[in-house]
Amino acid sequence: MLDARWWQRGIVYQIYPRSFMDSNGDGIGDLRGIRSRLPYLAWLGVDAIWISPIYTSPMADFGYDVSDYRGIDPRFGTLDDFDALVRDAHGLGLKIILDFVPNHTSDQHPWFLESRASRESAKRGWYIWRDPAPGGGPPTNWLSEFGGPAWEWDAATGQYYYHAYLKEQPDLDWRNPEVRDAMLSVMRFWLDRGVDGFRVDTIHHLIKDSELRDNPPNPRFRPGMPPHRELLRLYTTDRPEVHEAVAAMRRVLDDYDDRVLIGEAYLPFDRLMAYYGQDLSGMHLPFNFHLIGAPWDARAIAEIVREYEAALPEGAWPNWVLGNHDKPRIKSRVGAAQARVAAMLLLTLRGTPTLYYGDEIGMCDVPIAPGEVQDPFEKNVPGLGVGRDPERTPMQWGGGAGCGFTTGRPWLPLAPDADRNNVEALRGDPGSILSLYRALIALRRAEPALAVGAYAPLAAGEGVLAYAREHAGRRLLVLLNLSSHPRRLALAAGAGGARVLLSTGLDRAGERVDEAAELRPDEGLIAEAQGAPG
């Protein structure tokens, strides 16, 4: 599979633009800041950067409430800044993937302002407006993902509008062909400017039940869970008609050379697979988030990999995610030692890996004082620990007051250890986690077996996850000790031993492994098999 597409062989690096690099001292990251750090990303070795929303927005949900899909928010820069970013990125061999937010707009978008002006508005049908229930009140029991009812009363026109998230984020009606045409035109606008693909936000929310049936209660709901989980989202997400919309998006991308369509959908494997589309005419990569919530246990992870590989449609390309802007950071979930093992896991499984900014330097979740909370989810349902600010804090570039991120006051607080745990300090340390990430990425680039090779699980004892990657007769073994105890892993009889190519400690390259591999606590190894596959 040496002719694999760039998005199959490559590594995607997610940038949360408010937090990556501030060029003007206002405490908020921007496009010029990202542009200034492109040489670092090229040095790291990633292939593509996915940038969370940068469109014009009132920022009720930090860019996921779009008021102009063809504009750049002034906080981030201008269209000229964006064009310069694309040009420089492409000059360095980096691809640009934009976030696309098709499910909802801002309530300040001209489309919605016109829609709510009157029931007779030409754009009334662009959003989901409904009369009250027969006895009064919201038309259904549907709940907002961010807490409270998902229907907002509009006194001026005497109807409710639906919003899956904030009331400032009214949902578009994708059953309306005018809406679909307008949004597909937005995609073409950015593709014509040179973007290499889209990550499509919350794709499974795009179509709602045409009969407006109530969602059933969730029998697993318990106090302390986010309130929207009180109901099963049977009639508000993952409706069968969504796949027609996904296929329409894919047809747009297919009119351009070598672009990628990635979809966000938190779904079980059996339902996620449908987003590849009939005959693979849907998403190139429906995001696979299952490692994010998995127990950090070798047996559990091995089962997830097995189930996922078995579920993939023929010819579909896998992908893996360990962190993003909505979930706690991997180091905070598994600890510093296992964060290195997690890096080796992410970059050696079969499929496209997505790396969240800062994970390569071991950033942790940062405690946010009540008076500093920015996330609307946390503000709407305080006390449940749903806030996403801790994993969105500024990138740690160097020492000093702003740690190289800003000369002003950062929009979220910096980590307490940012002055010593940063790119500048770790880049010069040959044993750092940053050095490990760079070595893993370089090895993945050098070894087709890691980039596009077949995957095969290997028998392993308690606490150890082991598998082989093979391509064109070259076989690599990945041995991961997910425990804090030393482990011994016997190699298959007749395998002829192995030679270590890389260890998470960056200190065992070239070491010979014969009958058994001795794994230190919290250690991973990648070894070159010397004999016939066992």
Side-chain angles (χ1 to χ4, degrees):
M1 200 175 177
L2 286 175
D3 60 345
R5 309 276 287 276
W6 64 264
W7 48 267
Q8 293 173 310
R9 297 179 62 86
I11 297 163
V12 177
Y13 184 99
Q14 183 192 355
I15 289 176
Y16 195 70
R18 295 180 69 90
S19 296
F20 195 64
M21 182 66 204
D22 170 24
S23 71
N24 60 8
D26 66 357
I28 297 173
D30 48 49
L31 293 178
R32 290 188 178 188
I34 296 172
R35 187 180 170 200
S36 73
R37 297 295 185 177
L38 291 177
Y40 163 77
L41 297 171
W43 170 85
L44 183 61
V46 299
D47 299 87
I49 55 175
W50 150 35
I51 306 173
S52 293
I54 50 177
Y55 312 107
T56 310
S57 169
M59 297 293 165
D61 189 23
F62 299 111
Y64 285 96
D65 51 317
V66 179
S67 57
D68 181 2
Y69 284 102
R70 288 176 167 84
I72 301 293
D73 193 274
R75 298 168 184 84
F76 298 132
T78 66
L79 275 173
D80 286 343
D81 291 327
F82 178 79
D83 292 340
L85 172 64
V86 172
R87 182 176 62 248
D88 286 3
H90 286 171
L92 290 169
L94 295 167
K95 307 289 188 179
I96 298 288
I97 298 169
L98 276 190
D99 227 306
F100 181 53
V101 188
N103 181 67
H104 47 263
T105 70
S106 165
D107 63 351
Q108 299 305 304
H109 196 293
W111 296 345
F112 188 70
L113 295 177
E114 183 177 346
S115 181
R116 78 184 309 176
S118 78
R119 290 198 184 197
E120 288 71 41
S121 163
K123 286 191 168 53
R124 187 68 169 185
W126 284 43
Y127 294 83
I128 302 173
W129 292 94
R130 295 293 185 272
D131 290 330
T140 70
N141 69 348
W142 297 352
L143 297 175
S144 163
E145 299 288 301
F146 285 166
W151 294 98
E152 182 70 10
W153 175 248
D154 182 65
T157 59
Q159 282 189 316
Y160 287 89
Y161 68 84
Y162 177 72
H163 57 94
Y165 292 89
L166 298 173
K167 64 181 176 63
E168 294 86 358
Q169 294 170 288
D171 279 41
L172 289 161
D173 187 352
W174 268 76
R175 294 180 184 276
N176 186 329
E178 292 181 347
V179 169
R180 187 171 300 196
D181 289 347
M183 294 303 288
L184 297 181
S185 176
V186 168
M187 299 182 86
R188 292 187 187 95
F189 174 85
W190 293 105
L191 291 165
D192 288 341
R193 297 193 92 90
V195 305
D196 299 287
F198 297 98
R199 173 268 192 187
V200 184
D201 183 57
T202 192
I203 185 64
H204 57 313
H205 276 268
L206 209 57
I207 302 289
K208 291 77 180 174
D209 182 48
S210 60
E211 299 177 36
L212 267 69
R213 288 170 283 188
D214 279 351
N215 277 328
N218 179 3
R220 297 185 178 181
F221 181 77
R222 299 291 182 271
M225 288 183 177
H228 71 272
R229 294 186 61 186
E230 187 174 347
L231 301 176
L232 296 175
R233 298 173 299 177
L234 181 63
Y235 296 114
T236 48
T237 66
D238 196 31
R239 303 302 300 159
E241 301 95 326
V242 73
H243 300 295
E244 298 173 9
V246 172
M249 294 180 192
R250 173 63 180 273
R251 286 194 293 271
V252 170
L253 267 75
D254 285 347
D255 286 339
Y256 296 78
D257 291 335
D258 213 15
R259 312 298 168 97
V260 67
L261 192 63
I262 305 171
E264 181 200 30
Y266 287 85
L267 293 171
F269 287 143
D270 60 339
R271 291 160 60 194
L272 185 65
M273 295 304 124
Y275 286 79
Y276 282 104
Q278 188 174 6
D279 299 323
L280 303 184
S281 61
M283 294 286 169
H284 293 103
L285 300 173
F287 262 148
N288 168 16
F289 297 119
H290 284 253
L291 285 181
I292 291 181
W296 199 248
D297 171 82
R299 190 168 298 174
I301 292 174
E303 181 61 14
I304 286 172
V305 177
R306 186 198 66 77
E307 288 183 11
Y308 181 59
E309 286 278 353
L312 286 166
E314 185 177 356
W317 189 249
N319 71 93
W320 296 95
V321 182
L322 271 179
N324 61 30
H325 62 294
D326 288 330
K327 300 297 179 181
R329 285 193 176 270
I330 182 62
K331 185 176 176 181
S332 293
R333 302 201 307 267
V334 305
Q338 282 294 317
R340 299 175 75 105
V341 178
M344 187 168 281
L345 173 69
L346 178 66
L347 291 165
T348 60
L349 283 171
R350 189 177 82 94
T352 304
T354 297
L355 170 61
Y356 187 47
Y357 85 94
D359 280 354
E360 78 273 20
I361 58 170
M363 284 180 63
C364 290
D365 292 349
V366 177
I368 307 296
E372 295 180 310
V373 170
Q374 303 286 336
D375 184 9
F377 192 9
E378 175 72 13
K379 289 179 178 180
N380 280 2
V381 287
L384 295 184
V386 297
R388 299 164 296 175
D389 294 333
E391 59 264 25
R392 297 178 175 183
T393 56
M395 180 68 173
Q396 298 154 200
W397 293 105
C403 290
F405 165 71
T406 184
T407 57
R409 180 179 178 180
W411 78 287
L412 282 174
L414 289 153
D417 67 348
D419 197 48
R420 62 181 184 279
N421 186 37
N422 56 64
V423 171
E424 184 180 317
L426 299 181
R427 192 166 179 168
D429 178 358
S432 70
I433 190 170
L434 177 57
S435 295
L436 173 62
Y437 265 95
R438 189 164 184 255
L440 281 164
I441 291 169
L443 184 62
R444 183 185 174 92
R445 279 182 174 272
E447 293 283 357
L450 291 179
V452 297
Y455 165 89
L458 299 175
E462 183 181 357
V464 176
L465 178 64
Y467 47 92
R469 300 296 309 282
E470 187 169 5
H471 181 80
R474 183 159 172 78
R475 192 166 192 255
L476 303 184
L477 311 178
V478 182
L479 314 175
L480 305 174
N481 185 356
L482 274 68
S483 79
S484 58
H485 304 283
R487 300 294 187 193
R488 189 173 190 270
L489 178 65
L491 299 183
R499 182 177 65 88
V500 175
L501 299 177
L502 185 64
S503 70
T504 50
L506 295 165
D507 59 350
R508 295 182 66 178
E511 184 177 313
R512 175 82 184 178
V513 179
D514 290 318
E515 291 83 8
E518 303 290 344
L519 294 172
R520 302 166 183 163
D522 308 301
E523 183 181 53
L525 299 177
I526 303 173
E528 171 192 14
Q530 301 281 289

